[in-house]
Amino acid sequence: MKPVNFDYARPLDVDGALALLADETALVKVVAGSQSLGPMLNLRLVQPDLLVDITGVEELRSFEESGDKLTLGACITHADIEDGRLPDVTHGALPSVASGIAYRAVRNRGTVGGSLTHADPSADWVSMLAALGATVTLRGPEGARHLPVEEYMLGALEADLRPGELLVSVTVPKLGSGASWGYYKSCRKTGEFAHAIGAMLIDPERGICRAVIGATETRPLVIADAKGLIGDGDPAAFDSKAVTAALTEAGMRDPIERQTHSVALRRAVEGARGR
Amino acid sequence: MSEQGVGASLKRKEDDRYLRGRGQYVGDIRLAGMRDAAFVRSPIAHGKIKSIHVPEEYRDRVFTAADLDADGVKPIVAVSGLAGFKVSEQPVLAFDKVRQVGELIAMCIGESRAEAEDIADAVEVEFEELPAVHDMLEARKPGSALLHEAWGDNIFLETQIDVDIESAFDAPIKITREISTARQCMVPMEGRGTVATWDSRMEQLVLYTGSQMPHIVRTGLSECLGLEQTQLRIVSPDVGGGFGYKGILLPEDICLGWLALRCGYPVRWLEDRREHLTAGANCREHHYSITAYADRDGRLRGIDCEATVDSGAYSSYPFSACLEAAQVASILPGPYDFPAYRCRTYSVATNKCPILPYRGVARTGVCYAMELMLDAVAREAGLEPAEVRMKNLVRPEQMPFNNITHKHFDSGDYPEALRRAMAHIDIEAFRARQRKGEPDGRLLGLGLSVYCEQGAHGTSVYAGWGIPMVPGHEQATARMTPDGGLELRVGVHSHGQSMETTLAQVAHEVLGIPTDKIKLVHGDTEYTPYSTGSWGSRCAVMAGGAVSTACKEIARLAKAVGAHMLQVKPEEVELAQGAVYSQTGRVTLTEIARTWYLRPQDLPKSVDPRGLEVTIGYKPERDTGTFSYAAHLATVAVDPETGDIEILDYVIAEDGGKLINPMVVDGQIYGGLAQGIGTALYEEMRFDGSGQPLASTFADYLLPGPTEVPAPKLDHMETLAPYTEFGVKGIGEGGAIAPPAAIGNAVNDALKGFGAELLHSPMTPRRVLEAIAEAKAAGTATRSDEVVS
């Protein structure tokens, strides 16, 4: 299939992009890496009047390390992260997860902002960046907003993006020196979207013990204080019954699904301990 | 063996253009003034068409069944001569009702495909929905909704074979299972596509379409469009994989042909992946209710089976709707010798795309069912799976062997193939490691499967099927050129078989002409002898035999001319290494060709007027087919917590008789193995209760990629076929037949500690976990969500 006829614009700054997004009479879609939007256009699942390509905006392709955080422009690609083109403040978590996203061809173009905004529950960043406590910065006609990654995602394929708003950056806090993280995903095959994700961050210095279970029907299940479920991070103390109960409470009815997700989290915990 | 002849692993002549991206596929063809077609397709599986509304502005660019009807276009009819086969018509465009999602309703023309799709979007079709028939077992029951109402049921064809089954009933081991394989799509890299144009000089409708069987397409198309066959030319350029799908005459082909006639400008349709997955190319969906009877020592006493194949909505041309199921009955016994057999088969109509013959055709499902049963017998008898197979395989001293369904196994040593496959693995060490358990908690398993594959079966076999196409003599033209080169023309077509290389090797073997001076012309009805085309693992045997026969005739003709030039009698010369020799002299084929074409004054009066060009037909001494065979061995690690399956090792010991080019055969086996792994672990087209296909992209229809296909260990045996040229056996499909069975048995071996058994392909993580959960529930009477370990 081929897309419907649409107009295309490539602004050079954020204000220019926001001006184009402000047109309320037209269906305007933002495109960055086009790794999800491209197929959706071809399948005519999206039929925009105007496509605003934001990859020409220098600000969105840059990053900034300051104090206790790293800020990534929305158009930083998975490959930028995988290849170490920006400083690592996560003890290897970001490059490691980036290197496992889909295939290299996708990573070359796919962006972190695009992935979060597309809000596919099976994608890696919606789970891992939630585990790392990252936030997004949105700019729009009403000014800027800052949201935790897990709140930015409202549900499957739905982000908290108001009319005229654009995700401009993602801010990742630096991990403490004793922090460890774990990430495990279960995929049918290399490069496929996951059908279960577990992500874990244990950062004693900052008093954080956060677990995330992703690749569910909706947004990831974030367990902000996971001490009760996983003890001190010792896999032997992993309480699979409690995790399963939490998943049931979150609406996961299928026992096989609960098992797979519980296993994914336990393996993430095992991975965190190993680092 | 010469460096270029039969048996040489010659690098492929085709690769220069393929590997540089210079192949020419249908999608590369651009004709002046060409427009694109898109189709309005049925969004529902079953319903009556109440109205079709075409917006006024598009009236001249949208065509429906009424337009075809006005021109007398006929539906596709593919009848089988088997007794009881119910006839149906596949409409080119639906008019009264639709019977599958994706069925064609209208065709739309645009300056681009995008514009054609815009127009298709604007066409409104009103339906009265009917209950969808989506489950073949339900469809067999009385009271089911009907696809073809006049039949009174949904059964294209029912067959039965019964050989003394009652004699097996007292066997001490009796095991019954329900085994099934998922519906799949064929997914060649290149989808279907057609460019159609009217050539007013030749007064011909020319269709460029990637086809395995261009001559059969021409015959079918001429019947539907009412054209003389001389008014039709089918050009099949480079073909990016076919696997059976490109043997079929599609309604789209007829539409494009009609559009070119009607509109007067070239039109093009290129199938997209969504069309491919949801509207065509379906295959493989089998169900077996099967009982094995055996003695305690593992010897099979009998097999009793009821097999159902989901044939989809229509009987497709030329193989018909019953080829798959009816074949099941005749090939289920596989390479085994046992005394009692019964098999009843049903070809069932459902509201899905027609089922089409996919690489291996019925054999993949049959092998899966039979081999899973043999392992079940082994577990019941407490024997190694290999031991059970050794007890039942046809033995080499029985060859040639007529099996229980009268298949004539031509030659081979089946037990030796199994021994050789197993020799690649230290079985005892593997069993020890399996018992000990893996440090990561994964469970190991080892699985075997053995099959034999009838290939290149000819007139005597297909006359019995009575389908629109029966292969006879395979013809080839061989023609020397004035510069000493050789042109070969064959009616089969390569969709990846490397025939430009292998048939040149055959010609080289006979004539000694260097392969780079041998050109194969194929894929064009205008330039090649009639042929049923490339299917049934037949090209190496049939086209290879035809080329060899034609080249031998060229050799005779050249020797006569050469003898005259050497001033000796024809019986006093030999042809070797591209030259004719006598005791006293030598004259090259190039000199002979130059003499025939350019210096006829030097020829004797008695010279054979055929010159250096012949067209000749070939059939093996017996046309009941060659029987290549193989033993596959897989070892796997199964993660009982996630259900993930990793293939650790894969071994194939096969016998394709004489291999014309072993490297090409290896390539065929790799490709087949990849497809077999797809069947085993990934590929599945699911449908919901309304008959909607649930995968329309590769995000949902999973295929194995490079990381999912291990490098197999290949071992070739070369038992010459007794009836064919060079002793060649057809082997093109074999790689895709055995993997689901070998991998399935390996998975079941891994899970045997749980008492779990998987009987449905693909063996997905979910199915693994469900099988474990069910076995646990059966064992402990409590079902738990607890993690397994």
Side-chain angles (χ1 to χ4, degrees):
Chain A
M1 291 181 74
K2 304 292 179 195
V4 296
N5 214 354
F6 58 81
D7 290 326
Y8 172 86
R10 194 166 191 262
L12 296 177
D13 54 39
V14 171
D15 286 341
L18 291 177
L20 291 164
L21 289 174
D23 182 354
E24 288 173 11
T25 64
L27 179 60
V28 185
K29 288 296 287 184
V30 173
V31 62
S34 195
Q35 296 306 290
S36 296
L37 185 61
M40 289 171 78
L41 286 170
N42 277 344
L43 291 166
R44 298 197 171 194
L45 296 172
V46 182
Q47 304 193 359
D49 299 304
L50 172 66
L51 218 53
V52 177
D53 180 349
I54 56 170
T55 56
V57 180
E58 190 55 42
E59 178 190 339
L60 301 181
R61 291 162 55 199
S62 60
F63 61 87
E64 190 186 353
E65 187 180 5
S66 64
D68 57 357
K69 60 185 191 291
L70 173 71
T71 299
L72 292 67
C75 293
I76 293 286
T77 65
H78 314 316
D80 288 335
I81 298 169
E82 175 184 12
D83 296 348
R85 280 193 284 275
L86 41 160
D88 175 34
V89 299
T90 60
H91 302 344
L94 288 183
S96 169
V97 170
S99 71
I101 295 173
Y103 307 91
R104 178 71 199 196
V106 171
R107 302 198 287 272
N108 283 340
R109 288 180 176 274
T111 65
V112 63
S115 177
L116 291 177
T117 304
H118 182 57
D120 188 317
S122 300
D124 297 81
W125 289 137
V126 293
S127 285
M128 192 60 197
L129 287 171
L132 292 172
T135 55
V136 297
T137 297
L138 310 165
R139 271 169 59 190
E142 313 288 314
R145 289 197 293 147
H146 306 279
L147 290 174
V149 161
E150 62 268 31
E151 286 178 28
Y152 178 55
M153 181 169 170
L154 296 173
L157 304 181
E158 195 184 0
D160 182 7
L161 200 59
R162 294 174 188 165
E165 266 187 339
L166 178 69
L167 186 155
V168 292
S169 65
V170 181
T171 300
V172 183
K174 288 186 180 175
L175 299 190
S177 58
S180 61
W181 58 273
Y183 186 75
Y184 183 87
K185 64 174 171 175
S186 202
C187 300
R188 289 285 302 280
K189 58 172 220 176
T190 307
E192 283 309 305
F193 277 111
H195 57 83
I197 288 176
M200 187 69 215
L201 175 66
I202 302 166
D203 193 342
E205 204 174 291
R206 298 191 298 139
I208 293 171
C209 179
R210 188 186 294 118
V212 174
I213 297 176
T216 66
E217 297 268 292
T218 178
R219 62 181 180 181
L221 176 64
V222 178
I223 304 163
D225 180 4
K227 282 203 188 67
L229 297 181
I230 59 149
D232 59 354
D234 180 354
F238 186 83
D239 188 346
S240 68
K241 273 198 176 131
V243 171
T244 304
L247 288 167
T248 308
E249 197 180 329
M252 194 179 282
R253 289 194 185 81
D254 177 51
I256 300 280
E257 287 264 304
R258 289 197 297 261
Q259 168 174 333
T260 321
H261 285 81
S262 172
V263 167
L265 181 58
R266 201 197 72 224
R267 292 188 180 178
V269 172
E270 287 166 5
R273 189 172 174 79
R275 276 169 222 284
Chain B
M1 183 183 84
S2 88
E3 283 174 14
Q4 297 190 328
V6 169
S9 283
L10 195 66
K11 286 191 177 173
R12 303 200 309 168
K13 290 158 72 86
E14 298 86 333
D15 280 341
D16 186 65
R17 67 176 191 277
Y18 287 164
L19 299 182
R20 293 177 203 278
R22 291 176 190 156
Q24 193 189 50
Y25 301 88
V26 171
D28 295 312
I29 292 170
R30 302 270 190 281
L31 300 182
M34 181 173 75
R35 302 191 196 182
D36 276 292
F39 291 98
V40 176
R41 291 174 181 273
S42 175
I44 62 169
H46 200 192
K48 289 181 180 154
I49 297 175
K50 297 192 71 176
S51 68
I52 302 171
H53 174 69
V54 180
E56 198 55 45
E57 58 183 311
Y58 297 135
R59 274 290 161 85
D60 59 341
R61 286 192 280 170
V62 178
F63 304 96
T64 65
D67 298 295
L68 296 179
D69 205 39
D71 277 356
V73 174
K74 295 196 188 72
I76 298 170
V77 181
V79 179
S80 159
L82 293 176
F85 181 83
K86 298 196 190 87
V87 179
S88 61
E89 294 181 341
Q90 180 177 18
V92 177
L93 294 174
F95 54 95
D96 57 348
K97 74 180 221 175
V98 290
R99 295 183 181 83
Q100 62 162 94
V101 169
E103 186 164 354
L104 305 183
I105 295 172
M107 42 191 166
C108 309
I109 301 282
E111 295 293 332
S112 65
R113 170 71 182 242
E115 193 197 43
E117 287 180 15
D118 290 345
I119 296 170
D121 280 350
V123 175
E124 288 170 20
V125 186
E126 199 186 345
F127 299 97
E128 178 188 327
E129 258 193 89
L130 297 168
V133 180
H134 63 95
D135 178 320
M136 58 173 153
L137 298 181
E138 293 297 317
R140 276 175 47 189
K141 295 178 182 164
S144 168
L146 298 179
L147 270 85
H148 304 281
E149 288 83 356
W151 295 0
D153 61 21
N154 286 318
I155 304 191
F156 277 107
L157 181 70
E158 198 178 322
T159 67
Q160 174 156 322
I161 291 177
D162 187 343
V163 184
D164 206 17
I165 189 64
E166 288 185 6
S167 69
F169 290 166
D170 65 347
I173 292 177
K174 178 189 176 188
I175 294 168
T176 299
R177 295 284 186 272
E178 303 271 324
I179 296 173
S180 57
T181 53
R183 203 171 189 82
Q184 281 183 236
C185 294
M186 289 188 230
V187 200
M189 277 217 261
E190 179 206 28
R192 289 285 299 238
T194 296
V195 173
T197 187
W198 175 255
D199 181 332
S200 57
R201 180 178 67 86
M202 297 299 288
E203 294 187 2
Q204 264 184 332
L205 176 65
V206 183
L207 246 76
Y208 299 89
T209 183
S211 174
Q212 302 168 223
M213 300 156 62
H215 292 273
I216 295 296
V217 168
R218 179 163 82 157
T219 298
L221 201 60
S222 79
E223 286 170 13
C224 292
L225 287 177
L227 293 176
E228 302 288 330
Q229 297 206 20
T230 54
Q231 291 178 298
L232 263 169
R233 176 181 171 194
I234 309 297
V235 182
S236 184
D238 281 328
V239 180
F243 313 122
Y245 186 37
K246 288 180 187 151
I248 303 301
L249 175 65
L250 293 182
E252 286 88 342
D253 298 328
I254 298 163
C255 285
L256 270 282
W258 181 85
L259 279 172
L261 292 172
R262 163 78 174 233
C263 300
Y265 45 74
V267 285
R268 171 175 77 167
W269 166 70
L270 295 178
E271 179 186 69
D272 65 30
R273 229 14 115 174
R274 186 189 180 108
E275 290 176 301
H276 183 89
L277 290 172
T278 62
N282 277 210
C283 55
R284 287 275 193 269
E285 191 174 4
H286 292 200
H287 179 274
Y288 299 85
S289 180
I290 181 169
T291 301
Y293 296 92
D295 286 331
R296 287 267 156 227
D297 66 356
R299 200 175 302 271
L300 280 177
R301 294 278 302 280
I303 294 285
D304 192 4
C305 179
E306 185 177 285
T308 311
V309 171
D310 188 326
S311 297
Y314 296 109
S315 182
S316 64
Y317 186 97
F319 291 102
S320 91
C322 69
L323 183 81
E324 186 102 2
Q327 269 200 359
V328 167
S330 66
I331 62 177
L332 180 63
Y336 302 104
D337 178 19
F338 51 86
Y341 177 57
R342 179 167 65 184
C343 187
R344 185 185 287 271
T345 75
Y346 299 88
S347 304
V348 179
T350 63
N351 290 117
K352 300 176 187 171
C353 313
I355 202 161
L356 305 176
Y358 174 46
R359 196 176 196 174
V361 198
R363 296 172 189 86
T364 304
V366 158
C367 179
Y368 186 64
M370 190 69 189
E371 295 291 322
L372 259 53
M373 293 307 286
L374 283 171
D375 268 33
V377 168
R379 282 191 292 274
E380 180 69 22
L383 299 169
E384 272 286 329
E387 211 177 329
V388 171
R389 286 175 177 77
M390 287 300 182
K391 286 241 166 63
N392 294 290
L393 285 168
V394 172
R395 299 183 308 279
E397 65 271 20
Q398 293 174 285
M399 294 290 182
F401 178 78
N402 293 316
N403 87 341
I404 196 160
T405 60
H406 310 296
K407 295 284 178 192
H408 181 78
F409 297 176
D410 56 359
S411 63
D413 187 342
Y414 299 173
E416 176 64 9
L418 183 54
R419 281 190 289 270
R420 283 173 70 159
M422 294 184 37
H424 286 270
I425 300 286
D426 184 339
I427 304 281
E428 291 208 353
F430 183 85
R431 291 293 186 209
R433 183 178 153 195
Q434 183 183 30
R435 278 191 297 272
K436 188 165 161 248
E438 293 295 282
D440 61 6
R442 293 194 300 172
L443 305 168
L444 298 185
L446 182 150
L448 303 171
S449 65
V450 188
Y451 70 89
C452 60
E453 184 202 355
Q454 187 179 20
H457 25 342
T459 317
S460 65
V461 178
Y462 274 85
W465 290 97
I467 58 175
M469 170 202 89
V470 178
H473 279 86
E474 188 69 24
Q475 291 182 312
T477 299
R479 171 160 88 175
M480 288 207 65
T481 55
D483 59 355
L486 184 73
E487 277 178 12
L488 301 171
R489 294 163 185 262
V490 292
V492 297
H493 191 42
S494 176
H495 46 107
Q497 289 89 342
S498 324
M499 285 192 276
E500 289 167 51
T501 305
T502 53
L503 294 183
Q505 287 180 256
V506 169
H508 173 84
E509 181 74 25
V510 178
L511 293 171
I513 296 172
T515 52
D516 61 6
K517 289 190 78 175
I518 302 173
K519 181 181 177 62
L520 181 72
V521 178
H522 63 347
D524 192 330
T525 54
E526 202 69 0
Y527 295 129
T528 60
Y530 199 93
S531 167
T532 56
S534 302
W535 56 276
S537 296
R538 68 191 298 277
C539 295
V541 173
M542 298 304 295
V547 164
S548 175
T549 307
C551 289
K552 283 176 181 169
E553 197 59 24
I554 291 286
R556 253 191 295 279
L557 293 164
K559 276 159 71 178
V561 174
H564 174 78
M565 292 169 73
L566 293 166
Q567 298 187 334
V568 296
K569 292 176 182 159
E571 56 271 24
E572 291 172 354
V573 297
E574 292 295 330
L575 192 154
Q577 294 170 330
V580 171
Y581 292 83
S582 71
Q583 292 276 338
T584 52
R586 167 184 183 272
V587 56
T588 65
L589 284 176
T590 304
E591 289 165 317
I592 291 169
R594 193 182 304 130
T595 303
W596 167 262
Y597 287 106
L598 305 177
R599 299 186 56 81
Q601 64 271 32
D602 293 346
L603 294 165
K605 276 204 172 111
S606 63
V607 70
D608 191 321
R610 288 179 297 165
L612 298 173
E613 173 169 348
V614 295
T615 297
I616 203 159
Y618 167 80
K619 242 188 193 190
E621 284 169 48
R622 253 193 94 114
D623 70 357
T624 51
T626 60
F627 281 79
S628 60
Y629 57 93
H632 287 214
L633 183 158
T635 61
V636 302
V638 181
D639 186 328
E641 292 188 330
T642 62
D644 290 333
I645 297 167
E646 185 191 353
I647 300 170
L648 302 175
D649 249 317
Y650 204 95
V651 186
I652 299 173
E654 64 77 40
D655 188 343
K658 184 68 187 173
L659 305 181
I660 295 172
N661 181 325
M663 185 174 65
V664 164
V665 171
D666 287 356
Q668 294 245 22
I669 293 173
Y670 294 147
L673 170 63
Q675 290 172 311
I677 288 172
T679 301
L681 300 177
Y682 301 104
E683 297 185 48
E684 179 170 26
M685 176 58 81
R686 291 162 61 229
F687 291 79
D688 70 10
S690 63
Q692 285 292 334
L694 295 179
S696 63
T697 71
F698 287 153
D700 297 310
Y701 188 89
L702 292 192
L703 293 160
T707 51
E708 285 72 48
V709 181
K713 299 181 173 81
L714 294 188
D715 193 350
H716 295 292
M717 295 162 64
E718 283 191 84
T719 311
L720 300 187
Y723 311 121
T724 69
E725 194 73 9
F726 308 114
V728 171
K729 296 176 183 173
I731 198 178
E733 301 173 68
I737 293 172
I743 295 165
N745 279 332
V747 169
N748 286 338
D749 185 47
L751 299 181
K752 66 186 172 190
F754 290 110
E757 196 180 23
L758 268 78
L759 301 169
H760 183 89
S761 72
M763 291 157 281
T764 61
R766 167 167 289 271
R767 290 198 174 101
V768 171
L769 295 178
E770 282 172 349
I772 292 172
E774 276 167 31
K776 284 190 158 187
T780 62
T782 55
R783 177 154 174 160
S784 157
D785 290 353
E786 277 285 315
V787 175
V788 172
S789 61

